[in-house]
Amino acid sequence: MFLTCKQVSNHLSKEDYAKLSPFRKFTLKLHVLICPVCGKYNQQVMKFQDMARTFRKQEEDFLEDDRPESPHLNEDSKKRMAELIEQDKAS
Amino acid sequence: MIYKEPMSENEDPHVKYETHLWVEKYGDYLYRFALMRLKDPQVAEDTVQETFLAALKNLHQFDGRVDVKYWLRGILRNKSVDHVRKSVRRKELQDEQVQEVVGQLLFKTSGIPTTRPKDWAFDPDAAFAQEEFWEAFKGCLDALPEQTRLAFQLKMVDEIPTEEICKELDISDNYLWVTLHRARAQLKTCLESKWSAA
Ligand SMILES: [Zn+2]
């Protein structure tokens, strides 16, 4: 149940924190919260891993956002690409 | 998961995977992804085109187990990595700098960092709910040097395994680790200036 500082930093330096089991995450969080030695540094590392995880969802929303004001390929480029695909099909 | 029958000998993959609809269906989506990774609109557009052509070339290998969209996105991600690897001829960090940071943090040996960071009174749960925060975050991400940004995106956003990233970017795992450490430090500084609650 109790992790050493070394185990904590091993998990965090592999950046795999977000993928750990809920129990492992909990023990990790607890250690980082109370440990005077590695706590502060690793709290920040964990904040970034949470942030990146959430950002991933944000990115997906941005990619799917098809409103006129979001970025689009221009029509000429689309036409050119469609023609290239057509050519490939013919060959 | 939807199981799809393996393609029969005679079936044309162009027909099966509706390649004539690709640009209309996935063009903008891929373009936005390319913009996130490469920033420059022209480079992004060229990379999307390269992606379509590479996908056609490898269409016979596509097994239909993932959606065409995500398969194309995977190809596009590899193309973006190639682009950054070619454009960043020199590594952004020198080997001595890597050694220095590794030495400072002593992660590998004892797990105890020798440098203590200042408190960061940033509350992720409160910040994440706000759209402005993500605008600031994206702005800060864009401001990172290209290789640093890509390493952060691959590792932290795409969650690609370390070994794969190191191979693709042709760097050591210490180098990647220090790059991520720097990315965090730079993002933190940037967020503190751009977003007052951080
Ligand atoms: Zn500790």
Side-chain angles (χ1 to χ4, degrees):
Chain A
M1 150 101 210
F2 291 105
L3 298 169
T4 65
C5 291
K6 179 120 197 269
Q7 284 172 310
V8 168
S9 70
N10 269 343
H11 277 305
L12 291 172
S13 67
K14 274 190 265 156
E15 315 280 346
D16 69 354
Y17 154 74
K19 282 185 271 180
L20 297 174
S21 74
F23 179 70
R24 198 71 167 166
K25 253 190 212 172
F26 173 75
T27 54
L28 206 72
K29 258 190 175 152
L30 194 67
H31 178 117
V32 164
L33 204 66
I34 58 177
C35 179
V37 182
C38 75
K40 256 186 204 173
Y41 179 85
N42 284 320
Q43 264 176 46
Q44 294 189 6
V45 174
M46 284 163 80
K47 276 178 188 176
F48 272 96
Q49 294 192 26
D50 279 337
M51 215 185 277
R53 262 263 148 142
T54 315
F55 181 66
R56 181 189 199 160
K57 288 179 208 124
Q58 299 279 328
E59 191 182 69
E60 198 57 43
D61 289 347
F62 168 77
L63 300 180
E64 298 284 1
D65 182 1
D66 215 26
R67 288 175 303 178
E69 62 268 34
S70 74
H72 286 76
L73 282 170
N74 66 50
E75 287 308 315
D76 287 347
S77 311
K78 280 190 183 172
K79 228 178 115 192
R80 190 188 62 234
M81 288 182 202
E83 278 165 13
L84 285 169
I85 292 178
E86 206 49 40
Q87 279 168 24
D88 182 274
K89 198 166 151 184
S91 66
Chain B
M1 202 176 76
I2 303 156
Y3 178 75
K4 291 190 180 149
E5 286 294 322
M7 193 169 62
S8 76
E9 293 282 317
N10 311 322
E11 200 171 357
D12 181 353
H14 278 282
V15 176
K16 185 176 165 80
Y17 297 117
E18 302 181 315
T19 56
H20 64 291
L21 296 175
W22 279 6
V23 176
E24 212 36 63
K25 274 171 95 172
Y26 313 122
D28 292 325
Y29 176 90
L30 294 171
Y31 178 59
R32 283 177 212 126
F33 185 83
L35 274 180
M36 292 292 287
R37 303 308 162 104
L38 297 161
K39 290 206 296 193
D40 183 315
Q42 189 55 53
V43 176
E45 186 184 312
D46 292 347
T47 312
V48 171
Q49 179 168 316
E50 274 176 45
T51 299
F52 283 133
L53 296 179
L56 291 174
K57 224 187 203 169
N58 295 301
L59 196 54
H60 58 284
Q61 288 168 358
F62 179 56
D63 57 11
R65 273 193 296 190
V66 291
D67 204 272
V68 175
K69 181 159 116 182
Y70 298 114
W71 180 60
L72 291 171
R73 191 175 76 177
I75 297 172
L76 177 55
R77 178 160 49 225
N78 291 339
K79 295 265 166 217
S80 312
V81 172
D82 284 347
H83 177 83
V84 172
R85 195 177 39 202
K86 277 182 208 142
S87 74
V88 183
R89 285 194 201 96
R90 215 161 42 87
K91 286 179 177 170
E92 280 167 2
L93 301 174
Q94 301 303 314
D95 289 338
E96 309 87 71
Q97 290 177 304
V98 172
Q99 279 316 314
E100 191 191 319
V101 179
V102 172
Q104 269 171 22
L105 295 166
L106 290 175
F107 249 14
K108 300 270 145 127
T109 50
S110 63
I112 300 167
T114 52
T115 46
R116 298 279 178 84
K118 278 191 286 171
D119 270 327
W120 196 24
F122 165 73
D123 174 8
D125 293 329
F128 292 178
Q130 299 181 40
E131 213 173 301
E132 300 79 36
F133 172 77
W134 292 110
E135 269 162 38
F137 183 81
K138 196 174 169 295
C140 290
L141 196 58
D142 284 347
L144 293 177
E146 204 167 28
Q147 198 185 50
T148 309
R149 187 183 73 243
L150 191 77
F152 184 87
Q153 285 170 326
L154 289 171
K155 181 70 218 180
M156 309 283 283
V157 183
D158 299 334
E159 297 179 354
I160 308 280
T162 300
E163 310 82 68
E164 240 175 86
I165 299 174
C166 292
K167 218 173 102 200
E168 286 298 313
L169 290 175
D170 191 24
I171 55 178
S172 68
D173 54 357
N174 262 355
Y175 190 95
L176 175 65
W177 178 67
V178 170
T179 303
L180 292 171
H181 173 78
R182 292 235 161 167
R184 277 196 296 270
Q186 287 171 19
L187 282 171
K188 179 170 174 278
T189 311
C190 177
L191 281 171
E192 279 166 344
S193 71
K194 278 203 178 193
W195 201 70
S196 52

